[in-house]
Each structure stands twice: as structure tokens, then as C-alpha cells.
Amino acid sequence: MRVTVKDGRAIKVSGDPDHPPTQGVLCTKVSRYAERTHHRDRLLTPLRRIGRKGEGRFEAIGWDEALRLAADRLKPIAARAPEAIVPYSYAGTMGLVQGESIAARFFNALGASRLDRTICAAAGAAGLRYTYGASLGMHTEYYEESELILIWGSNPIASNLHFWTRAQEAKRRGAKLIAIDPYRSLTAEKCHQHVALKPGTDGALALGMIDVLIREGRIDREYIGAHTLGFDELKARAAEYPPARVARICGIEEQVIVDLARAFGSTKKASIRLNYGMQRVRGGGNAVRAIACLPSLTGAWRERSGGLLLSSSGWAPVNSSALERPDLLPGWPSRLPRIVNMNAIGDALLNPGGGAFGPKIEAMIVYNSNPVAVAPDSEKVAAGFAREDLFTIVLEHFQTDTADFADLILPATTQLEHLDVHKSYGHTHVMANLPAITPVGESRPNTEIFRGLARAMGLSEPALFETDEQIASKAFRWDDPALAGQSWNTLKTAGWAQLKLADAPFASGGFRTPSGKCEFYSERLKQEGLDPLPDYLPPYESADGAPELAARYPLAMISPPARNFLNSSFVNVESLRSTEGEPHLDIHPADAYARQIADGEMVRIFNDRGSMQARARVTDRAREGVVVGLSIWWKKLAPDGCNANQVTSQALTDLGGAATFYDCLVDVEPVH
Ligand SMILES: Nc1nc2c(c(=O)[nH]1)N[C@H]1C(S)=C(S)[C@@H](COP(=O)(O)OP(=O)(O)OC[C@H]3O[C@@H](n4cnc5c(=O)[nH]c(N)nc54)[C@H](O)[C@@H]3O)O[C@H]1N2
Ligand SMILES: Nc1nc2c(c(=O)[nH]1)N[C@H]1C(S)=C(S)[C@@H](COP(=O)(O)OP(=O)(O)OC[C@H]3O[C@@H](n4cnc5c(=O)[nH]c(N)nc54)[C@H](O)[C@@H]3O)O[C@H]1N2
Ligand SMILES: [Mo]
């Protein structure tokens, strides 16, 4: 990203035309980053709560007082029951320095609870880990040479523009694009074909395709023999999913499954852009495993334009132990503090403590995240943060829904103001992020805030006081072959570096599993007492998974990203929010008719967990039985102070303990 600065202010951000994966283009929301940075609502000083929790009334205080206040509250807890202190962070910035470096070291040194950071990608990451050995996949650039692209559980026009550019190029060169998505997204409508399956049934679809591919012999026996493990077992499992059965499960035509398999088996230049949309359901991990088997069965990996990409983050040799210093944990490595799953933060905050849970949570330190808006089962999350006996610190740019519940808000810098280092999960470059302007107001980088907290608490471990430059210089294992010839200094000068990787990563095997093969059958899963083969698990909340619930709440709700927001970031940027308009619910005409809902009418979406309002758009973009509420709104900027997470559940996925945002039954009624 290039930043134009005038009189100390960022006036424009633009893409770097020399950067191969992005080619000078920024996505809709990030192109507004200057507007966001200098927004009139930026937090400029530390703030202390003077109102009730959640009310949002604060007064400005100085940094010294803020840090002293924090230390006074945290020190006795740290001395008595350090696990009662819980960090909460995720994707605000995904930088390695302003993410888990000093912050992680601070919590490790205290012996605070650890956080299982599972809100986004954990099911898919586990699926890939058991199958390929890590989050590895194709280079995004080579999709443009593919002859067939399955865009599976992904809406790249909104969420992955740089891939979409390549897919468009492939289309111009004659490739066929097929979207697999319950919703006719902006992307699905621009593909040659759209397979609108029921949410959470992707595992069945993949097993059905595997069954057809094997029965019709459209597989690469040589590749399978040399580079995969467990073919016979997979064949037997897939035989349980003949197209007729899969058609019933997925709610699609039998012939569609057969044709999809035939198309995928007809060329080695067949690729899959899988994304996280399809793994936010009970069986998400298994579904990723089943889909990940496809290119290994057909030998598509032999071509650089064949294979699959869900995440490329595993290619970057991040030195996480140097960044996070787990060795600072008291009891390392044998006795570690408890780990709290971030998706169940509502229940955790309301837990009275004791038993297997351990100590009651007494302090939360939130940075890079807005849990009151983004975490599932939001009424419980808000009720937890509203506890008068909870001490909450929020490091933020803005007074978000979560910051409203803070005792202390600490103003943080944005990416234009601080130093950082990034890897990517959508391409195979690493990047340096240099400050373009000085911090706005009295804001400080996360690292500087945690250094200050450590000092105020009287901690003396030197690792807590390293500078951002020192941290950046150890963010990667520079001796890894992928970074040959690179150092922090070369990265800083050039801005970015391409990882040195093979063009076709698994053309001759080389998976990072224990066997070195693509593991259709996983011995590790078996040892963990889990199914060693991929299978289809019906969503928790579906007619198959919970018939009684489905009778009461017959509509499946999904809440994927809106184009103009980044999770809950940018929702307060007027130019972007006004483009989104207001919270909408897309509902199929048949479902709307049955409920006497007219297009443009306000509706209430509800289940046993809560309810929210949105304006109905009666449209066949949503398949029958599915309602779609593009997300994630700030609650306080929505008409009724609620967003989609009012109805989502804290249940976890089959693998990885991830969130099940799209495994969610509701009903809808007009608001009169
Ligand atoms: N504009 C924008 N870009 C973003 C984000 C954002 O919030 N806004 N978020 C970023 C982040 S953190 C992430 S993790 C990624 C998110 O990336 P994804 O989670 O992949 O989100 P989308 O690209 O919207 O794709 C999700 C698609 O999956 C569909 N879907 C929902 N359920 C199912 C299902 O059961 N099966 C199938 N096959 N499809 C399903 C949805 O209808 C939607 O069209 O995007 C990143 N990019
Ligand atoms: N219903 C529903 N819920 C979802 C999803 C969905 O599709 N549907 N998607 C899920 C996914 S994929 C994800 S990744 C999560 C994301 O959830 P979060 O990780 O909470 O992401 P954001 O909502 O963008 O909130 C990040 C906050 O960090 C702040 N921030 C940004 N940079 C910095 C910084 O440098 N320092 C500090 N201190 N703060 C900073 C921003 O101002 C913002 O308020 O949401 C999940 N929630
Ligand atoms: Mo995410």
C-alpha cells in the first residue's frame, strides 16, 4: 500500500503497482483507509468509564494515570489467580508485531489464560493440517491459467478481489467458473454455473464427487500410488455417498453432482478456490478434508494451475516462538495455563468459576478485536462484558460496541502510524509495513501499550521491552529456504518479498504430513479418537441434525461478509456504510410469501438465543429455506441495536474448535 501524505496527514492510499499479487489495486474498503484513519471519531486519549457498563460514557485521562489504574487493578489478580486474566484478540491487524508479540509475552509472563484463536479459520486449518500437513496451497497468480475453477464457499468480489482478477483473466482465456454457494453472491452471478447447495452440506457434495470420479476411473492412479495414503479406505467411504443420496442431502440435482465430478476430472488444469464460508458449520473440518482430497485424486497438483487454495499462510516461515516467547510462561513447557476458546467467550464470561473451568474471569484485555459485535451468541457476550465485577481494558481506534463496556479504553495506532511485518493467507509474499505518519492524537502502537502495562506492573523481563524494530527483525526464520537472500533490512527497503517456492507445490508430492503424502486416511486423527476418514456431518441445526428444532425454526441463516465492511471494521466509515445502506435480510419469495413478508419491509429474525431486525429483500438470490444477512454491523449503528450474532451459536466445529456462524436456524416475521 502506498500512502500520500500532506502536512502530516494521510490524504490517499493506493495499491503498489509493482506488487505482483495485488497489481496496484486496493479493495473497496481499504481504499478508504485514510478516511478511516483521520475519522473525527478516532480515539485520541485514554478514557476512563464514568457511566454504567455498556452505556458508553467516558472521560479523558492521561497515559500515566491510565497505566497506573490498569496496574492497580491487574496486579492483585495476577498475584492471586493469573488465569482470571484473559486476553481477547483477533484480526483487527493481522501484523506479526502489533498482533501477538509484546502482547503475548506480557500475558505469558503473567501466566494469564491463553486464548484459542478459533473464530475464523480453525476448522479449515485443521482440515488442511490433517490432509496436507499445513495451510498450504496454490499460488493465486496461476489461477489465471486454469481451465476450470471451482469457487467454493467464497465470494471473492467482496472478500478476495485479487483472486477474482485472476479468475476473470482465466475466464477471458476460456476457463469455466463454477460457484458452489447457497447464495447467489456477487461472484456466483458472474460465474458460468452456480451450484446452490444447502448450507453445511459441502462434505457430502465432495464425497459424492469422489465416488463418481473413482467409479468412472477419472483419477490419476500414478499420482495416487506415489503421493497419497488411504485410497482404498476413501473409496469405501465415498461409496456410501452415491449421487442420489448426495442430491437429497445437498438439495441439488443428481446430474449436477455427476457433471461436476466429470468436469473436475476432465483436465489437470482444474483448480479450487476454497474459502472459509463453507467451514463455519458443524462438519466444516471434515468438509475441507473431503474437498482437499479432490486434486490429489485427479492429479491436478501436477499443474501449477491445478490444485486448491484455502490458505497459503503456512508457506511463510513465521518464528512464532521468538515473537510470542511461550518460554516466559510459568511452568513452561509442562504445565500451561488454561486455554479459553474465543467462540465461547459468552459462556466463559458468565461462568461462576470452579471445577474444570478454573477461576472465574476477573479481567479481560481486548485488542485487535470487537467481540461484542463479532462473537457468536451475542446476548451472552454482552451480558458477560456487562458484569460489574469484571475489569475490562480495550485497545482501540474507535469506541466500538465492545469499547462501550470497557473500564479503560486505550487509543491505538493504525497501520499508517506503526511498524509491522505481514504474511498473507491469500498469496505467497511477505511484507513490511512502515509508518507513513506520526500517531494520531496520543494513540500508541499495541506494542508500546503493552510495554507500558508491563512497566506499570513492575515486570522486568527484558523481552517485554524490545523495540518494534527488534521484534520485526525476528518475525521470520530468515534462514528458511523460502526467504533465501532476505533479511529484515532487505524487506524493509523493498517493502515486500516473494517467498521462494515451487510453482506447482505438490507436483511430486512433498506434503507436510507425517507420511509426506496427502493423507486421505489420517493415522493422527485415529489416534485422537476421531474418524480417520473424511465424512459428512449434518449441521447441528438442520432437519437432519435436529428435526425438532428445525420444525420450530425452519430457516437456515448465513451471515457472510458485506463488501464494504471488513468484519466489523469500516462500519463507522460513512462513505462505506452509506453504500451498504442498512442491515438487510435476503429471503426467497416462497419463504417470504409464507410469512406475509413484502419486499422492503422490516422483519424480525429470531430463535431461542435472540433476535435482530433487518429490511427484507425478497429475492431468489437466497435459495429456498436459507436467509442471508450480510455482516457484520456495529450493533449501535443498526436500527434496533442488534446484529446477526444475536442469533448465532457458540457450538464448535468437528475439528479445530472453530465457530459455527452459519449453522444457525431461525424464523422470520414482519415487524408491524
Ligand atoms: N469485504 C470483505 N472482505 C473480507 C472480509 C470482510 O468482512 N469483508 N473478511 C475477511 C476475512 S477475516 C475472512 S475470514 C475472509 C472470509 O472469507 P469467506 O468466509 O470465504 O467469506 P466470503 O468470501 O463472503 O464467502 C463466503 C461465501 O460462502 C457462502 N456460504 C455460506 N455458507 C456456506 C456453506 O455451507 N457452503 C458453501 N459452499 N458456501 C457457503 C456465503 O454465501 C458466501 O457467499 O474474507 C476476508 N475478506
Ligand atoms: N455473524 C458473523 N460473525 C462473524 C463472521 C461472519 O462471517 N459472520 N466472521 C468471523 C471472522 S471470519 C472473523 S476473522 C471475526 C473478526 O472479528 P475481529 O477480529 O474482532 O475483527 P473486526 O470486527 O474487524 O474488529 C477488529 C477491531 O480491531 C481494531 N483494530 C484494528 N487495528 C488495530 C490495531 O492495530 N490495534 C488495536 N488495538 N486495534 C485495532 C479495529 O478498530 C476493530 O474494531 O469475526 C467473525 N464473526
Ligand atoms: Mo476471518
Side-chain angles (χ1 to χ4, degrees):
M1 192 158 86
R2 291 183 176 175
V3 188
T4 312
V5 179
K6 202 176 158 216
D7 303 329
R9 282 172 74 91
I11 52 170
K12 187 169 164 250
V13 295
S14 53
D16 177 350
D18 299 331
H19 182 235
T22 54
Q23 299 172 307
V25 176
L26 294 180
C27 62
T28 316
K29 56 206 183 295
V30 171
S31 64
R32 302 287 181 171
Y33 206 79
E35 182 183 345
R36 184 182 185 276
T37 296
H38 296 291
H39 195 292
R40 61 176 141 66
D41 294 339
R42 261 299 287 281
L43 298 169
L44 302 175
T45 67
L47 298 172
R48 175 179 46 200
R49 177 167 68 91
I50 49 171
R52 272 181 300 106
K53 291 239 176 178
E55 197 184 6
R57 289 204 296 129
F58 293 87
E59 68 178 7
I61 55 174
W63 271 107
D64 288 346
E65 190 186 353
L67 294 172
R68 199 168 48 241
L69 231 149
D72 285 350
R73 290 295 299 269
L74 293 175
K75 258 160 89 176
I77 307 174
R80 182 169 33 83
E83 287 176 318
I85 301 174
V86 178
Y88 200 97
S89 70
Y90 200 69
T93 175
M94 302 194 82
L96 299 171
V97 177
Q98 304 304 333
E100 307 315 319
S101 68
I102 300 287
R105 297 175 188 183
F106 173 77
F107 293 111
N108 287 342
L110 290 182
S113 286
R114 293 171 298 145
L115 184 73
D116 209 1
R117 292 184 170 80
T118 45
I119 202 164
C120 172
L128 288 183
R129 191 165 63 247
Y130 288 115
T131 317
Y132 299 163
S135 291
L136 306 172
M138 286 174 63
H139 296 271
T140 199
E141 289 88 338
Y142 300 141
Y143 277 93
E144 65 187 25
E145 298 166 8
S146 298
E147 291 171 357
L148 171 74
I149 307 180
L150 305 187
I151 301 179
W152 199 323
S154 177
N155 177 18
I157 291 182
S159 71
N160 189 187
L161 191 63
H162 309 300
F163 159 75
W164 180 246
T165 308
R166 308 292 171 165
Q168 291 278 85
E169 176 57 24
K171 196 176 174 187
R172 276 191 288 273
R173 297 183 193 179
K176 183 171 183 188
L177 270 48
I178 305 177
I180 303 175
D181 194 315
Y183 179 56
R184 198 169 72 247
S185 66
L186 293 173
T187 304
E189 69 183 359
K190 295 201 170 54
C191 290
H192 297 96
Q193 188 188 344
H194 174 205
V195 178
L197 79 183
K198 290 187 189 168
T201 62
D202 302 85
L205 177 58
L207 286 162
M209 288 171 67
I210 292 171
D211 178 54
V212 174
L213 285 166
I214 295 176
R215 273 191 296 105
E216 297 190 352
R218 296 171 195 273
I219 52 175
D220 185 335
R221 291 195 180 278
E222 215 180 298
Y223 191 92
I224 293 169
H227 306 305
T228 74
L229 199 72
F231 174 74
D232 293 334
E233 291 90 339
L234 180 67
K235 177 179 170 186
R237 173 59 56 83
E240 297 170 26
Y241 290 91
R245 179 177 176 212
V246 172
R248 268 196 313 278
I249 295 173
C250 299
I252 56 179
E253 302 278 310
E254 197 175 325
Q255 193 60 38
V256 169
I257 300 152
V258 175
D259 290 346
L260 210 49
R262 287 180 182 162
F264 194 76
S266 71
T267 167
K268 298 252 191 272
K269 297 186 172 183
S271 59
I272 301 173
R273 184 57 169 101
L274 197 60
N275 216 328
Y276 293 113
M278 45 68 62
Q279 49 105 68
R280 307 196 195 291
V281 291
R282 175 189 176 202
N286 267 276
V288 168
R289 253 174 73 58
I291 295 166
C293 295
L294 287 166
S296 300
L297 280 169
T298 63
W301 286 119
R302 291 182 189 275
E303 292 285 340
R304 69 181 192 178
S305 61
L308 173 147
L309 175 63
L310 169 59
S311 167
S312 56
S313 68
W315 291 122
V318 174
N319 196 346
S320 47
S321 55
L323 286 164
E324 300 177 20
R325 297 291 305 272
D327 56 294
L328 298 178
L329 280 162
W332 168 262
S334 51
R335 239 194 63 251
L336 301 182
R338 71 162 165 208
I339 188 152
V340 175
N341 189 310
M342 69 191 301
N343 301 316
I345 194 62
D347 281 345
L349 282 170
L350 295 174
N351 192 306
F357 182 75
K360 178 177 180 172
I361 298 177
E362 295 178 57
M364 291 287 297
I365 302 180
V366 181
Y367 52 105
N368 299 340
S369 186
N370 184 11
V372 173
V374 306
D377 205 352
S378 193
E379 280 196 21
K380 287 196 178 158
V381 181
F385 275 103
R387 273 177 41 202
E388 278 300 333
D389 63 339
L390 180 75
F391 178 64
T392 303
I393 305 178
V394 175
L395 284 61
E396 253 301 347
H397 301 153
F398 295 105
Q399 197 176 320
T400 59
D401 290 325
T402 306
D404 279 345
F405 287 91
D407 293 279
L408 207 50
I409 306 178
L410 303 177
T413 47
T414 71
Q415 272 172 245
L416 302 191
E417 300 147 66
H418 59 225
L419 182 97
D420 219 327
V421 184
H422 289 259
K423 64 171 178 175
S424 164
Y425 61 87
H427 60 70
T428 43
H429 287 60
V430 292
M431 291 138 299
N433 176 155
L434 306 183
I437 55 172
T438 54
V440 171
E442 292 176 26
S443 65
R444 294 182 179 176
N446 290 342
T447 43
E448 182 56 22
I449 299 176
F450 281 103
R451 283 188 286 261
L453 282 172
R455 207 172 290 116
M457 291 194 58
L459 301 175
S460 58
E461 165 59 46
L464 297 172
F465 303 101
E466 276 184 2
T467 63
D468 290 6
E469 280 275 342
Q470 284 171 320
I471 301 164
S473 72
K474 39 181 95 154
F476 294 118
R477 285 179 273 103
W478 301 102
D479 56 352
D480 188 283
L483 280 170
Q486 299 287 345
S487 66
W488 168 234
N489 278 325
T490 61
L491 187 64
K492 220 166 53 168
T493 310
W496 48 266
Q498 180 153 24
L499 295 172
K500 292 196 173 60
L501 306 166
D503 270 357
F506 305 128
S508 31
F511 294 92
R512 294 198 189 160
T513 53
S515 63
K517 298 184 176 190
C518 173
E519 297 193 348
F520 301 150
Y521 180 97
S522 165
E523 194 59 42
R524 284 185 293 176
L525 278 170
K526 189 170 174 227
Q527 277 163 15
E528 290 167 35
L530 297 167
D531 190 342
L533 290 165
D535 202 353
Y536 163 64
L537 305 169
Y540 294 114
E541 302 197 358
S542 61
D544 286 342
E548 180 272 337
L549 186 74
R552 282 198 293 140
Y553 297 118
L555 299 173
M557 171 149 178
I558 58 175
S559 48
R563 184 179 188 175
N564 294 283
F565 303 152
L566 174 62
N567 300 311
S568 78
S569 298
F570 296 94
V571 178
N572 62 330
V573 176
E574 284 78 1
S575 61
L576 293 167
R577 191 171 70 256
S578 64
T579 313
E580 287 298 328
E582 59 186 331
H584 288 108
L585 187 78
D586 288 9
I587 182 167
H588 189 271
D591 294 322
Y593 181 78
R595 291 167 180 77
Q596 303 187 322
I597 293 168
D599 187 45
E601 193 170 11
M602 281 303 280
V603 294
R604 198 174 77 93
I605 303 140
F606 61 97
N607 60 20
D608 291 342
R609 289 178 289 266
S611 76
M612 70 167 286
Q613 294 187 10
R615 195 165 299 282
R617 288 193 294 214
V618 177
T619 164
D620 66 357
R621 279 180 176 276
R623 67 163 283 163
E624 201 173 336
V626 177
V627 290
V628 184
L630 299 179
S631 292
I632 307 172
W633 280 79
W634 277 26
K635 292 191 192 184
K636 59 178 161 186
L637 295 178
D640 63 339
C642 294
N643 74 11
N645 283 318
Q646 233 73 31
V647 291
T648 56
S649 106
Q650 296 181 64
L652 304 178
T653 55
D654 54 348
L655 303 176
T660 54
F661 291 110
Y662 308 162
D663 190 327
C664 173
L665 286 176
V666 299
D667 207 346
V668 180
E669 63 185 15
V671 176
H672 293 299

